[in-house]
């Protein structure tokens, strides 16, 4: 005995109606609409899975590239610079979550080469400590990060910045720093309002993979930065944590445990607007594409209405044999839900397949069409990322089946209201 024969008769009839449309020439139009509903649900589900996977990948990729250069937590003094930064670092390192600490100075500046002038964020760093709080040493494409020795006035540039200036390792650039350009550092009283200038030698080029850093960041030794900017001490301290996701908690713990008028800023606050915008876009895309799935799911209404109209004689016979209105309703709800389930499963399979192979599919489309989808200057990354989250897949598949089920309620109710005598009058 087959499994279907062990099912309640409502399920058996619902399954038979789902299959019958494919074999009966009389019901070919109903079958076509049913298959169109399946295809619509499948495409909507697949599109939703692919889009959310790409957005997840985009968010993860940009976040990782940001955090390769950003500190997990930054410490500032509300009164100005941090002259005794070593003591402050030791206090921060007492927290078991803090892995490393490094001082820094940030200043707005301009770099000038043969009449070409580009804005740059000048960052003074201690090479040994900086290598422990960022991934800069692994991102070097030319030269050596260790070349930022005290008094060398060497500079390490982002690749995009070096390209825009037309310089390479060994070339000279002129640094211009305005008196008001120091971020967080103390400057000497009564300093000249004219820009400070200093000749620098390009000793390295890095590529973080994040256009914001690659196109604006220039790194020099922190002692050389104090000379170039007029700062008297580091502007703050950058911390690297064991777990970056604990940054808000660790920042709060440091704020409450460390003495002085210190200000803690974790990485989630540095780019709050960007993260909020990405999450908002993801939510809106989910809503918009769910509407597409809903439109496809509610095509089932027309399919089931026509099926009910076609099967009125069958309904009448079942009612005459003692089937209750609830049983009749269940038959057509089974049929509609199976169509939605089939569309959802096909959509999940297609969406997962595409999402896992976006890195292959998108470059192939770009080669064929000659169109590049991601501009690095706009989107910060040049390759289409994708991260498939099975929780998203579960939600999307569940929503598709739920919408399909809801679409079956009215036609199924209408079927349960068919009067046997009227349905058989003209048979």
């Amino acid at each position: 005995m087959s499994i279907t024969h062990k099912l309640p008769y409502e399920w058996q009839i619902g399954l038979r109606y789902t299959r019958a449309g494919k074999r009966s020439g009389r019901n070919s139009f109903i079958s076509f609409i049913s298959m169109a509903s399946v295809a619509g649900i499948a495409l909507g589900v697949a599109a939703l899975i692919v889009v959310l996977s790409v957005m997840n990948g985009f968010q993860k990729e940009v976040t990782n590239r940001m955090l390769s250069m950003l500190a997990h937590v930054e410490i500032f003094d509300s009164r100005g610079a941090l002259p005794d930064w070593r003591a402050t670092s030791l206090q921060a390192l007492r927290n078991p979550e803090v892995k490393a600490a490094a001082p820094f100075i940030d200043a707005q500046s301009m770099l000038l080469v043969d009449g070409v002038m580009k804005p740059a964020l000048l960052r003074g760093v201690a090479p040994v400590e900086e290598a422990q709080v960022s991934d800069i040493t692994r991102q070097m494409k030319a030269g050596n990060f260790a070349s930022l020795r005290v008094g060398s006035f060497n500079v390490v540039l982002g690749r995009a910045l070096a390209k825009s200036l037309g310089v390479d390792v060994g070339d000279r650039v002129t640094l211009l720093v305005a008196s008001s350009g120091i971020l967080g550092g103390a400057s000497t009283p009564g300093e000249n309002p004219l820009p400070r200038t200093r000749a620098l030698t390009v000793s390295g080029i890095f590529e973080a993979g994040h256009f914001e850093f690659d196109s604006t960041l220039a790194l020099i030794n922190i002692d050389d930065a104090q000379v170039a900017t007029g700062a008297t001490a580091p502007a703050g301290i950058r911390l690297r944590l064991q777990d970056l996701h604990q940054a808000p908690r660790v920042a709060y713990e440091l704020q409450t445990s460390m003495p002085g008028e210190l200000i803690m800023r974790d990485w989630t606050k540095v780019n709050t607007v960007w993260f909020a915008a990405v999450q908002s876009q993801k939510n809106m895309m989910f809503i918009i594409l769910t509407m597409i799935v809903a439109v496809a799911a509610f095509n089932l209404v027309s399919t089931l209405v026509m099926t009910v109209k076609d099967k009125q004689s069958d309904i009448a016979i079942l009612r005459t044999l003692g089937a209750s209105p609830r049983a009749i309703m269940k038959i057509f709800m089974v049929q509609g839900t199976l169509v939605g389930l089939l569309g959802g499963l096909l959509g999940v399979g297609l969406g997962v397949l595409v999402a896992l192979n976006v890195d292959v599919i998108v470059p192939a489309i770009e080669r064929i069409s000659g169109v590049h989808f991601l501009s690095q200057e706009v989107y910060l990354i040049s390759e289409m990322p994708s991260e498939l989250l099975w929780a998203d897949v579960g939600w999307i598949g569940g929503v598709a089946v739920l919408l399909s089920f809801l679409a079956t309620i009215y036609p199924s109710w209408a079927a349960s209201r068919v009067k046997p005598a009227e349905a058989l009058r003209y048979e």
Side-chain angles (χ1 to χ4, degrees), residues 54 358-359 362-363 366 373-374 381-386:
V54 169
V358 163
D359 57 337
V362 171
E366 289 179 340
F373 294 121
L374 286 180
I381 56 178
S382 59
E383 297 178 354
M384 188 78 75
S386 177

Side-chain angles (χ1 to χ4, degrees), residues 34 36 47 75 117 174 196 202 208 237 311 321 355 357 366 383 385 423:
S34 180
I75 302 177
M117 184 177 292
T174 300
R196 294 172 174 269
V202 179
I237 300 171
K311 301 295 183 182
L321 293 173
N357 294 279
E366 289 179 340
E383 297 178 354

